[in-house]
Amino acid sequence: SGVGNIANAVLGAMGANPDIPQFSMYSEVLQDSVIDLISAGKIKYASATSLTVTPGKIQEVYGNPKFFREHVILRPQEISNNPEVARRIGVISINTAIEFDLSGNVNSSHIMGKNIMNGIGGSGDFTRAAYCSIYTAPSVAKGGCISAIVPNVSHTDHSEHSVNVVITEYGVADLRFKSPLERAKLIIDNCVHPDYRDLLNQFL
C-alpha cells in the first residue's frame, strides 16, 4: 500500500469489512491504519522498511514492544522493494494516482505535467511486479473543477501495461484482458464523476 490519506482510508475500510479475512502485509511503509489493524487482529503480520505514523501511534508501538515484535518486521529497502519477492509472494498492490487516463496510464507524481507533487517511491517496484496492481483516486480535484480522469495523462509514471484496476468513489474498473475501447468505456462508466462522463465519451 502506498502512503497518504487515501491509502490509509482504504486499509481502514478493508479492516472494517467483515468479508475480508485476516491478511498479511508486505509493503515499503506502514501507516497508522496498519497499526490499528494489527491491534485489532485483522493484519497478522506486516513487513516494511519504515513506520510513517503519528506521534500517538508510535507511542502505542513503543508502549507494547513485545506484542508488535510478534507482528512487525522492518527490512532493508533492497528486500522490501525487491520486485522478485513481490512477484513470488503474489502481492496485491494499492497505490494512489493524481490522475489516470482512459487507457489506464497513471500519473502519480506531477501536477499539470511539470510541477512535482511527490516522488513515485516504491510504487513502480510493486506495480510492475504485483499479482494485481490497483490504483485509487478521487474522481475530481480542485473542489470538483477538474476531472482526475483525463483523455491522456500529462505525465506517465505507470503505463497501462502495469495497471490492472482503477478505483474512484464511483466504482471499480478491472482493466485486465480488455481492449483499449473496452477499457475506456469501463473507466467512464464506473469511475468518472457524472458531470464529466459526457465530455469524456466524446474521446471514444
CSV table of all heavy atoms in Angstrom, one decimal, residues 70-134:
chain,number,residue,atom,x,y,z
A,70,GLU,N,6.0,-9.4,17.6
A,70,GLU,CA,5.5,-10.6,17.0
A,70,GLU,C,4.7,-10.4,15.7
A,70,GLU,O,4.3,-11.3,15.0
A,70,GLU,CB,4.5,-11.3,18.0
A,70,GLU,CG,5.2,-11.7,19.3
A,70,GLU,CD,6.3,-12.7,19.1
A,70,GLU,OE1,6.1,-13.6,18.3
A,70,GLU,OE2,7.4,-12.6,19.8
A,71,HIS,N,4.5,-9.1,15.3
A,71,HIS,CA,3.6,-8.8,14.2
A,71,HIS,C,4.2,-7.9,13.2
A,71,HIS,O,3.6,-7.6,12.1
A,71,HIS,CB,2.3,-8.2,14.7
A,71,HIS,CG,1.5,-9.1,15.6
A,71,HIS,ND1,0.7,-10.1,15.1
A,71,HIS,CD2,1.4,-9.2,16.9
A,71,HIS,CE1,0.1,-10.7,16.0
A,71,HIS,NE2,0.5,-10.2,17.2
A,72,VAL,N,5.4,-7.3,13.4
A,72,VAL,CA,6.0,-6.4,12.5
A,72,VAL,C,7.5,-6.7,12.3
A,72,VAL,O,8.2,-7.0,13.3
A,72,VAL,CB,5.9,-4.9,13.0
A,72,VAL,CG1,6.7,-3.9,12.1
A,72,VAL,CG2,4.5,-4.5,13.2
A,73,ILE,N,8.0,-6.6,11.1
A,73,ILE,CA,9.4,-6.7,10.8
A,73,ILE,C,9.8,-5.6,9.8
A,73,ILE,O,9.0,-5.3,8.9
A,73,ILE,CB,9.8,-8.1,10.2
A,73,ILE,CG1,11.3,-8.2,10.0
A,73,ILE,CG2,9.1,-8.3,8.9
A,73,ILE,CD1,11.8,-9.6,9.7
A,74,LEU,N,10.9,-5.0,10.1
A,74,LEU,CA,11.4,-3.9,9.2
A,74,LEU,C,12.7,-4.4,8.5
A,74,LEU,O,13.6,-4.9,9.2
A,74,LEU,CB,11.7,-2.6,10.0
A,74,LEU,CG,10.6,-2.0,10.8
A,74,LEU,CD1,11.0,-0.7,11.5
A,74,LEU,CD2,9.4,-1.7,9.8
A,75,ARG,N,12.6,-4.4,7.2
A,75,ARG,CA,13.7,-5.0,6.4
A,75,ARG,C,14.4,-3.9,5.6
A,75,ARG,O,13.8,-2.8,5.4
A,75,ARG,CB,13.2,-6.0,5.4
A,75,ARG,CG,12.3,-7.1,6.0
A,75,ARG,CD,11.7,-7.9,4.9
A,75,ARG,NE,10.6,-8.8,5.3
A,75,ARG,CZ,10.8,-10.1,5.7
A,75,ARG,NH1,12.0,-10.6,5.7
A,75,ARG,NH2,9.7,-10.8,6.0
A,76,PRO,N,15.6,-4.1,5.1
A,76,PRO,CA,16.3,-3.1,4.2
A,76,PRO,C,15.4,-2.9,3.0
A,76,PRO,O,14.7,-3.9,2.5
A,76,PRO,CB,17.6,-3.8,3.9
A,76,PRO,CG,17.8,-4.8,5.0
A,76,PRO,CD,16.5,-5.2,5.4
A,77,GLN,N,15.5,-1.8,2.4
A,77,GLN,CA,14.7,-1.5,1.2
A,77,GLN,C,15.1,-2.4,0.0
A,77,GLN,O,14.2,-2.7,-0.8
A,77,GLN,CB,14.9,0.0,0.7
A,77,GLN,CG,13.9,0.5,-0.3
A,77,GLN,CD,14.1,2.0,-0.5
A,77,GLN,OE1,15.2,2.5,-0.5
A,77,GLN,NE2,13.0,2.6,-0.8
A,78,GLU,N,16.3,-2.9,0.0
A,78,GLU,CA,16.7,-3.8,-1.1
A,78,GLU,C,15.8,-5.1,-1.0
A,78,GLU,O,15.7,-5.8,-2.0
A,78,GLU,CB,18.2,-4.2,-1.0
A,78,GLU,CG,19.1,-3.1,-1.3
A,78,GLU,CD,19.3,-2.1,-0.1
A,78,GLU,OE1,18.8,-2.3,1.0
A,78,GLU,OE2,20.0,-1.1,-0.3
A,79,ILE,N,15.3,-5.4,0.2
A,79,ILE,CA,14.4,-6.6,0.3
A,79,ILE,C,13.0,-6.2,0.2
A,79,ILE,O,12.2,-6.8,-0.6
A,79,ILE,CB,14.7,-7.3,1.6
A,79,ILE,CG1,16.1,-7.8,1.7
A,79,ILE,CG2,13.7,-8.4,1.8
A,79,ILE,CD1,16.5,-8.4,3.0
A,80,SER,N,12.6,-5.2,0.9
A,80,SER,CA,11.1,-4.8,0.9
A,80,SER,C,10.6,-4.4,-0.4
A,80,SER,O,9.5,-4.6,-0.8
A,80,SER,CB,10.9,-3.6,1.9
A,80,SER,OG,11.5,-2.4,1.5
A,81,ASN,N,11.5,-3.8,-1.3
A,81,ASN,CA,11.1,-3.3,-2.6
A,81,ASN,C,11.6,-4.2,-3.7
A,81,ASN,O,11.6,-3.8,-4.9
A,81,ASN,CB,11.6,-1.9,-2.8
A,81,ASN,CG,10.8,-0.8,-2.0
A,81,ASN,OD1,10.4,-1.1,-0.9
A,81,ASN,ND2,10.5,0.3,-2.6
A,82,ASN,N,12.0,-5.4,-3.4
A,82,ASN,CA,12.5,-6.2,-4.4
A,82,ASN,C,11.4,-6.8,-5.3
A,82,ASN,O,10.5,-7.5,-4.8
A,82,ASN,CB,13.3,-7.4,-3.7
A,82,ASN,CG,14.1,-8.2,-4.7
A,82,ASN,OD1,13.5,-8.7,-5.7
A,82,ASN,ND2,15.4,-8.4,-4.4
A,83,PRO,N,11.4,-6.5,-6.6
A,83,PRO,CA,10.3,-6.9,-7.4
A,83,PRO,C,10.2,-8.4,-7.5
A,83,PRO,O,9.1,-9.0,-7.6
A,83,PRO,CB,10.7,-6.3,-8.8
A,83,PRO,CG,11.5,-5.2,-8.5
A,83,PRO,CD,12.3,-5.6,-7.3
A,84,GLU,N,11.3,-9.1,-7.4
A,84,GLU,CA,11.2,-10.6,-7.4
A,84,GLU,C,10.5,-11.1,-6.2
A,84,GLU,O,9.6,-12.1,-6.4
A,84,GLU,CB,12.6,-11.2,-7.5
A,84,GLU,CG,12.7,-12.7,-7.7
A,84,GLU,CD,12.5,-13.5,-6.5
A,84,GLU,OE1,12.9,-13.1,-5.4
A,84,GLU,OE2,11.9,-14.6,-6.6
A,85,VAL,N,10.7,-10.6,-5.1
A,85,VAL,CA,10.0,-11.0,-3.9
A,85,VAL,C,8.5,-10.7,-4.0
A,85,VAL,O,7.6,-11.5,-3.7
A,85,VAL,CB,10.6,-10.4,-2.6
A,85,VAL,CG1,9.8,-10.8,-1.4
A,85,VAL,CG2,12.0,-10.8,-2.4
A,86,ALA,N,8.2,-9.5,-4.4
A,86,ALA,CA,6.8,-9.1,-4.6
A,86,ALA,C,6.0,-10.0,-5.5
A,86,ALA,O,4.9,-10.4,-5.3
A,86,ALA,CB,6.7,-7.6,-5.0
A,87,ARG,N,6.7,-10.4,-6.6
A,87,ARG,CA,6.1,-11.3,-7.6
A,87,ARG,C,5.9,-12.7,-7.0
A,87,ARG,O,4.9,-13.3,-7.2
A,87,ARG,CB,6.9,-11.3,-8.9
A,87,ARG,CG,6.5,-12.4,-9.9
A,87,ARG,CD,5.1,-12.3,-10.3
A,87,ARG,NE,4.9,-11.3,-11.3
A,87,ARG,CZ,3.7,-11.0,-11.8
A,87,ARG,NH1,2.6,-11.6,-11.4
A,87,ARG,NH2,3.5,-10.0,-12.7
A,88,ARG,N,6.9,-13.1,-6.4
A,88,ARG,CA,6.9,-14.5,-5.9
A,88,ARG,C,5.8,-14.7,-4.8
A,88,ARG,O,5.2,-15.8,-4.8
A,88,ARG,CB,8.3,-14.9,-5.3
A,88,ARG,CG,8.4,-16.2,-4.6
A,88,ARG,CD,9.8,-16.7,-4.6
A,88,ARG,NE,10.8,-15.7,-4.2
A,88,ARG,CZ,11.2,-15.4,-3.0
A,88,ARG,NH1,10.7,-16.1,-1.9
A,88,ARG,NH2,12.1,-14.5,-2.8
A,89,ILE,N,5.6,-13.8,-4.0
A,89,ILE,CA,4.6,-14.0,-2.9
A,89,ILE,C,3.2,-13.5,-3.3
A,89,ILE,O,2.3,-13.6,-2.5
A,89,ILE,CB,5.0,-13.3,-1.6
A,89,ILE,CG1,5.1,-11.8,-1.7
A,89,ILE,CG2,6.4,-13.9,-1.1
A,89,ILE,CD1,5.5,-11.1,-0.4
A,90,GLY,N,3.1,-12.9,-4.5
A,90,GLY,CA,1.7,-12.6,-5.0
A,90,GLY,C,1.1,-11.4,-4.4
A,90,GLY,O,0.0,-11.4,-4.0
A,91,VAL,N,1.9,-10.3,-4.3
A,91,VAL,CA,1.4,-9.1,-3.7
A,91,VAL,C,0.2,-8.4,-4.4
A,91,VAL,O,0.2,-8.4,-5.7
A,91,VAL,CB,2.6,-8.0,-3.6
A,91,VAL,CG1,2.1,-6.6,-3.3
A,91,VAL,CG2,3.5,-8.5,-2.5
A,92,ILE,N,-0.7,-8.0,-3.7
A,92,ILE,CA,-1.8,-7.1,-4.3
A,92,ILE,C,-1.4,-5.7,-3.9
A,92,ILE,O,-1.4,-5.3,-2.7
A,92,ILE,CB,-3.2,-7.5,-3.8
A,92,ILE,CG1,-3.5,-8.9,-4.2
A,92,ILE,CG2,-4.2,-6.5,-4.3
A,92,ILE,CD1,-4.8,-9.4,-3.5
A,93,SER,N,-1.0,-4.9,-4.9
A,93,SER,CA,-0.6,-3.5,-4.6
A,93,SER,C,-1.7,-2.5,-4.7
A,93,SER,O,-2.5,-2.6,-5.6
A,93,SER,CB,0.6,-3.1,-5.5
A,93,SER,OG,0.2,-2.9,-6.8
A,94,ILE,N,-1.7,-1.5,-3.8
A,94,ILE,CA,-2.7,-0.5,-3.8
A,94,ILE,C,-2.0,0.8,-3.7
A,94,ILE,O,-1.3,1.1,-2.7
A,94,ILE,CB,-3.7,-0.6,-2.7
A,94,ILE,CG1,-4.4,-2.0,-2.7
A,94,ILE,CG2,-4.8,0.5,-2.7
A,94,ILE,CD1,-5.3,-2.2,-1.5
A,95,ASN,N,-2.0,1.7,-4.7
A,95,ASN,CA,-1.4,3.0,-4.7
A,95,ASN,C,-2.3,4.1,-5.1
A,95,ASN,O,-3.4,3.8,-5.7
A,95,ASN,CB,-0.1,2.9,-5.6
A,95,ASN,CG,1.0,2.1,-5.0
A,95,ASN,OD1,1.6,2.6,-4.0
A,95,ASN,ND2,1.3,1.0,-5.5
A,96,THR,N,-1.9,5.3,-4.9
A,96,THR,CA,-2.7,6.5,-5.2
A,96,THR,C,-2.3,7.2,-6.5
A,96,THR,O,-1.1,7.4,-6.7
A,96,THR,CB,-2.7,7.5,-4.0
A,96,THR,OG1,-3.1,6.8,-2.9
A,96,THR,CG2,-3.7,8.6,-4.3
A,97,ALA,N,-3.2,7.5,-7.3
A,97,ALA,CA,-3.0,8.3,-8.5
A,97,ALA,C,-3.4,9.8,-8.4
A,97,ALA,O,-4.4,10.0,-7.7
A,97,ALA,CB,-3.7,7.7,-9.7
A,98,ILE,N,-2.6,10.7,-9.0
A,98,ILE,CA,-3.1,12.0,-9.1
A,98,ILE,C,-4.1,12.1,-10.2
A,98,ILE,O,-5.1,12.8,-10.1
A,98,ILE,CB,-1.9,13.0,-9.4
A,98,ILE,CG1,-1.0,13.1,-8.2
A,98,ILE,CG2,-2.4,14.4,-9.8
A,98,ILE,CD1,0.3,13.8,-8.4
A,99,GLU,N,-3.8,11.4,-11.3
A,99,GLU,CA,-4.8,11.3,-12.4
A,99,GLU,C,-4.5,10.0,-13.1
A,99,GLU,O,-3.4,9.4,-13.1
A,99,GLU,CB,-4.7,12.5,-13.4
A,99,GLU,CG,-3.4,12.6,-14.0
A,99,GLU,CD,-3.2,13.8,-15.0
A,99,GLU,OE1,-4.2,14.5,-15.2
A,99,GLU,OE2,-2.1,13.9,-15.6
A,100,PHE,N,-5.5,9.5,-13.8
A,100,PHE,CA,-5.3,8.4,-14.8
A,100,PHE,C,-6.2,8.6,-16.0
A,100,PHE,O,-7.1,9.4,-16.0
A,100,PHE,CB,-5.6,7.0,-14.2
A,100,PHE,CG,-6.9,6.8,-13.5
A,100,PHE,CD1,-8.0,6.4,-14.3
A,100,PHE,CD2,-7.1,6.9,-12.2
A,100,PHE,CE1,-9.2,6.1,-13.7
A,100,PHE,CE2,-8.3,6.7,-11.6
A,100,PHE,CZ,-9.4,6.3,-12.4
A,101,ASP,N,-5.8,8.0,-17.1
A,101,ASP,CA,-6.5,8.3,-18.3
A,101,ASP,C,-7.3,7.1,-18.8
A,101,ASP,O,-7.4,6.1,-18.2
A,101,ASP,CB,-5.5,8.8,-19.4
A,101,ASP,CG,-4.5,7.8,-19.9
A,101,ASP,OD1,-4.8,6.6,-19.7
A,101,ASP,OD2,-3.4,8.2,-20.4
A,102,LEU,N,-7.9,7.3,-20.0
A,102,LEU,CA,-8.9,6.3,-20.5
A,102,LEU,C,-8.2,5.1,-21.0
A,102,LEU,O,-8.9,4.1,-21.2
A,102,LEU,CB,-9.7,7.0,-21.6
A,102,LEU,CG,-10.6,8.2,-21.2
A,102,LEU,CD1,-11.4,8.7,-22.4
A,102,LEU,CD2,-11.5,7.9,-20.1
A,103,SER,N,-6.9,5.0,-21.1
A,103,SER,CA,-6.2,3.8,-21.4
A,103,SER,C,-5.8,3.1,-20.1
A,103,SER,O,-5.5,1.9,-20.2
A,103,SER,CB,-5.0,4.1,-22.2
A,103,SER,OG,-5.3,4.7,-23.5
A,104,GLY,N,-5.7,3.7,-19.0
A,104,GLY,CA,-5.3,3.1,-17.8
A,104,GLY,C,-3.9,3.6,-17.4
A,104,GLY,O,-3.3,3.0,-16.4
A,105,ASN,N,-3.3,4.5,-18.1
A,105,ASN,CA,-2.0,5.1,-17.7
A,105,ASN,C,-2.2,5.9,-16.4
A,105,ASN,O,-3.2,6.6,-16.3
A,105,ASN,CB,-1.4,5.9,-18.8
A,105,ASN,CG,-1.2,5.2,-20.1
A,105,ASN,OD1,-0.4,4.2,-20.1
A,105,ASN,ND2,-1.8,5.6,-21.1
A,106,VAL,N,-1.2,5.9,-15.5
A,106,VAL,CA,-1.3,6.6,-14.3
A,106,VAL,C,-0.2,7.6,-14.1
A,106,VAL,O,1.0,7.4,-14.4
A,106,VAL,CB,-1.3,5.6,-13.1
A,106,VAL,CG1,-1.1,6.3,-11.8
A,106,VAL,CG2,-2.5,4.8,-13.1
A,107,ASN,N,-0.6,8.8,-13.7
A,107,ASN,CA,0.3,9.9,-13.2
A,107,ASN,C,0.2,10.0,-11.7
A,107,ASN,O,-0.9,10.3,-11.2
A,107,ASN,CB,-0.1,11.2,-13.9
A,107,ASN,CG,0.7,12.4,-13.3
A,107,ASN,OD1,1.7,12.3,-12.6
A,107,ASN,ND2,0.1,13.6,-13.5
A,108,SER,N,1.3,9.6,-11.0
A,108,SER,CA,1.2,9.7,-9.6
A,108,SER,C,2.2,10.7,-9.0
A,108,SER,O,2.4,10.7,-7.8
A,108,SER,CB,1.5,8.3,-9.0
A,108,SER,OG,2.8,7.8,-9.4
A,109,SER,N,2.8,11.5,-9.8
A,109,SER,CA,3.9,12.4,-9.3
A,109,SER,C,3.8,13.9,-9.7
A,109,SER,O,4.3,14.7,-9.0
A,109,SER,CB,5.2,11.8,-9.6
A,109,SER,OG,5.4,11.8,-11.1
A,110,HIS,N,3.2,14.2,-10.8
A,110,HIS,CA,3.3,15.6,-11.4
A,110,HIS,C,1.9,16.2,-11.5
A,110,HIS,O,0.9,15.6,-11.8
A,110,HIS,CB,3.9,15.6,-12.7
A,110,HIS,CG,5.4,15.3,-12.7
A,110,HIS,ND1,5.9,14.1,-12.3
A,110,HIS,CD2,6.4,16.1,-13.0
A,110,HIS,CE1,7.2,14.2,-12.4
A,110,HIS,NE2,7.6,15.4,-12.8
A,111,ILE,N,1.9,17.5,-11.2
A,111,ILE,CA,0.7,18.3,-11.4
A,111,ILE,C,0.9,19.1,-12.7
A,111,ILE,O,1.9,19.8,-12.9
A,111,ILE,CB,0.4,19.3,-10.3
A,111,ILE,CG1,0.3,18.6,-8.9
A,111,ILE,CG2,-0.8,20.2,-10.5
A,111,ILE,CD1,-0.9,17.7,-8.8
A,112,MET,N,-0.1,19.0,-13.6
A,112,MET,CA,0.0,19.7,-14.9
A,112,MET,C,1.2,19.3,-15.7
A,112,MET,O,1.7,20.0,-16.6
A,112,MET,CB,0.0,21.2,-14.8
A,112,MET,CG,-1.3,21.8,-14.0
A,112,MET,SD,-2.8,21.4,-14.8
A,112,MET,CE,-2.7,22.5,-16.3
A,113,GLY,N,1.7,18.1,-15.4
A,113,GLY,CA,2.8,17.5,-16.2
A,113,GLY,C,4.2,18.1,-15.9
A,113,GLY,O,5.2,17.7,-16.5
A,114,LYS,N,4.2,19.1,-15.0
A,114,LYS,CA,5.5,19.8,-14.8
A,114,LYS,C,5.9,20.1,-13.3
A,114,LYS,O,7.1,20.1,-13.0
A,114,LYS,CB,5.5,21.2,-15.5
A,114,LYS,CG,4.4,22.1,-15.1
A,114,LYS,CD,4.4,23.4,-15.9
A,114,LYS,CE,3.3,24.2,-15.5
A,114,LYS,NZ,3.6,25.6,-15.4
A,115,ASN,N,4.9,20.3,-12.5
A,115,ASN,CA,5.2,20.5,-11.1
A,115,ASN,C,5.1,19.2,-10.3
A,115,ASN,O,4.1,18.5,-10.2
A,115,ASN,CB,4.2,21.5,-10.5
A,115,ASN,CG,4.2,22.9,-11.2
A,115,ASN,OD1,5.3,23.4,-11.5
A,115,ASN,ND2,3.1,23.4,-11.5
A,116,ILE,N,6.2,18.9,-9.6
A,116,ILE,CA,6.3,17.7,-8.9
A,116,ILE,C,5.5,17.8,-7.6
A,116,ILE,O,5.7,18.6,-6.7
A,116,ILE,CB,7.8,17.3,-8.6
A,116,ILE,CG1,8.5,17.0,-9.9
A,116,ILE,CG2,7.8,16.0,-7.7
A,116,ILE,CD1,10.0,16.7,-9.7
A,117,MET,N,4.5,16.9,-7.4
A,117,MET,CA,3.7,16.8,-6.2
A,117,MET,C,4.4,15.8,-5.2
A,117,MET,O,4.5,16.1,-4.0
A,117,MET,CB,2.4,16.2,-6.6
A,117,MET,CG,1.5,16.0,-5.4
A,117,MET,SD,0.8,17.5,-4.8
A,117,MET,CE,-0.4,17.0,-3.6
A,118,ASN,N,4.9,14.7,-5.7
A,118,ASN,CA,5.7,13.8,-4.8
A,118,ASN,C,6.4,12.8,-5.7
A,118,ASN,O,6.2,12.7,-6.9
A,118,ASN,CB,4.7,13.0,-3.9
A,118,ASN,CG,3.5,12.4,-4.6
A,118,ASN,OD1,2.4,12.9,-4.5
A,118,ASN,ND2,3.8,11.4,-5.4
A,119,GLY,N,7.4,12.1,-5.1
A,119,GLY,CA,8.1,11.1,-5.9
A,119,GLY,C,7.2,9.9,-6.0
A,119,GLY,O,6.2,9.7,-5.3
A,120,ILE,N,7.6,9.0,-6.9
A,120,ILE,CA,6.8,7.7,-7.0
A,120,ILE,C,7.2,6.7,-6.0
A,120,ILE,O,6.5,5.7,-5.8
A,120,ILE,CB,7.0,7.1,-8.5
A,120,ILE,CG1,8.4,6.7,-8.8
A,120,ILE,CG2,6.5,8.1,-9.5
A,120,ILE,CD1,8.5,5.9,-10.0
A,121,GLY,N,8.3,6.9,-5.3
A,121,GLY,CA,8.7,6.0,-4.2
A,121,GLY,C,8.8,4.6,-4.7
A,121,GLY,O,9.4,4.4,-5.8
A,122,GLY,N,8.3,3.6,-4.0
A,122,GLY,CA,8.3,2.2,-4.4
A,122,GLY,C,7.2,1.8,-5.2
A,122,GLY,O,7.1,0.6,-5.5
A,123,SER,N,6.3,2.7,-5.6
A,123,SER,CA,5.1,2.3,-6.3
A,123,SER,C,5.4,1.5,-7.6
A,123,SER,O,4.7,0.6,-8.0
A,123,SER,CB,4.2,3.5,-6.6
A,123,SER,OG,4.8,4.4,-7.4
A,124,GLY,N,6.5,1.9,-8.3
A,124,GLY,CA,6.9,1.3,-9.5
A,124,GLY,C,7.3,-0.2,-9.3
A,124,GLY,O,7.0,-1.1,-10.0
A,125,ASP,N,8.1,-0.4,-8.2
A,125,ASP,CA,8.6,-1.7,-7.9
A,125,ASP,C,7.4,-2.7,-7.7
A,125,ASP,O,7.4,-3.8,-8.2
A,125,ASP,CB,9.4,-1.7,-6.6
A,125,ASP,CG,10.6,-0.8,-6.7
A,125,ASP,OD1,11.2,-0.7,-7.8
A,125,ASP,OD2,11.0,-0.1,-5.7
A,126,PHE,N,6.4,-2.2,-7.0
A,126,PHE,CA,5.3,-3.0,-6.6
A,126,PHE,C,4.3,-3.1,-7.8
A,126,PHE,O,3.7,-4.2,-8.0
A,126,PHE,CB,4.6,-2.5,-5.4
A,126,PHE,CG,5.4,-2.8,-4.1
A,126,PHE,CD1,6.2,-1.8,-3.6
A,126,PHE,CD2,5.3,-4.0,-3.5
A,126,PHE,CE1,6.9,-2.0,-2.4
A,126,PHE,CE2,6.1,-4.2,-2.3
A,126,PHE,CZ,6.9,-3.2,-1.8
A,127,THR,N,4.0,-2.0,-8.5
A,127,THR,CA,3.0,-2.1,-9.6
A,127,THR,C,3.4,-3.1,-10.7
A,127,THR,O,2.6,-3.9,-11.1
A,127,THR,CB,2.9,-0.6,-10.2
A,127,THR,OG1,2.4,0.2,-9.2
A,127,THR,CG2,2.0,-0.7,-11.4
A,128,ARG,N,4.7,-3.0,-11.0
A,128,ARG,CA,5.1,-3.9,-12.2
A,128,ARG,C,5.3,-5.3,-11.8
A,128,ARG,O,5.3,-6.2,-12.6
A,128,ARG,CB,6.4,-3.3,-12.8
A,128,ARG,CG,6.1,-2.1,-13.6
A,128,ARG,CD,7.3,-1.4,-14.2
A,128,ARG,NE,7.9,-0.4,-13.4
A,128,ARG,CZ,7.4,0.8,-13.2
A,128,ARG,NH1,6.3,1.2,-13.8
A,128,ARG,NH2,8.0,1.7,-12.5
A,129,ALA,N,5.5,-5.6,-10.5
A,129,ALA,CA,5.7,-7.0,-10.0
A,129,ALA,C,4.5,-7.6,-9.4
A,129,ALA,O,4.5,-8.8,-9.1
A,129,ALA,CB,6.9,-7.0,-9.1
A,130,ALA,N,3.4,-6.8,-9.1
A,130,ALA,CA,2.3,-7.3,-8.3
A,130,ALA,C,1.5,-8.4,-9.0
A,130,ALA,O,1.4,-8.4,-10.3
A,130,ALA,CB,1.4,-6.1,-8.0
A,131,TYR,N,0.9,-9.2,-8.3
A,131,TYR,CA,-0.1,-10.2,-8.8
A,131,TYR,C,-1.3,-9.4,-9.3
A,131,TYR,O,-1.8,-9.7,-10.4
A,131,TYR,CB,-0.5,-11.1,-7.7
A,131,TYR,CG,-1.7,-12.0,-8.1
A,131,TYR,CD1,-1.5,-13.1,-8.9
A,131,TYR,CD2,-3.0,-11.8,-7.6
A,131,TYR,CE1,-2.6,-13.9,-9.2
A,131,TYR,CE2,-4.0,-12.6,-7.9
A,131,TYR,CZ,-3.8,-13.6,-8.7
A,131,TYR,OH,-4.9,-14.4,-9.1
A,132,CYS,N,-1.7,-8.3,-8.6
A,132,CYS,CA,-2.7,-7.4,-9.1
A,132,CYS,C,-2.4,-6.0,-8.6
A,132,CYS,O,-2.2,-5.8,-7.4
A,132,CYS,CB,-4.1,-7.9,-8.5
A,132,CYS,SG,-5.4,-6.8,-9.1
A,133,SER,N,-2.3,-5.1,-9.6
A,133,SER,CA,-1.9,-3.7,-9.2
A,133,SER,C,-3.2,-2.8,-9.3
A,133,SER,O,-3.8,-2.8,-10.3
A,133,SER,CB,-0.8,-3.2,-10.1
A,133,SER,OG,-1.3,-3.1,-11.5
A,134,ILE,N,-3.4,-2.1,-8.2
A,134,ILE,CA,-4.7,-1.3,-8.1
A,134,ILE,C,-4.2,0.1,-7.8
A,134,ILE,O,-3.3,0.4,-7.1
A,134,ILE,CB,-5.5,-1.8,-6.9
A,134,ILE,CG1,-5.9,-3.3,-7.1
A,134,ILE,CG2,-6.7,-0.9,-6.7
A,134,ILE,CD1,-6.6,-3.9,-5.9
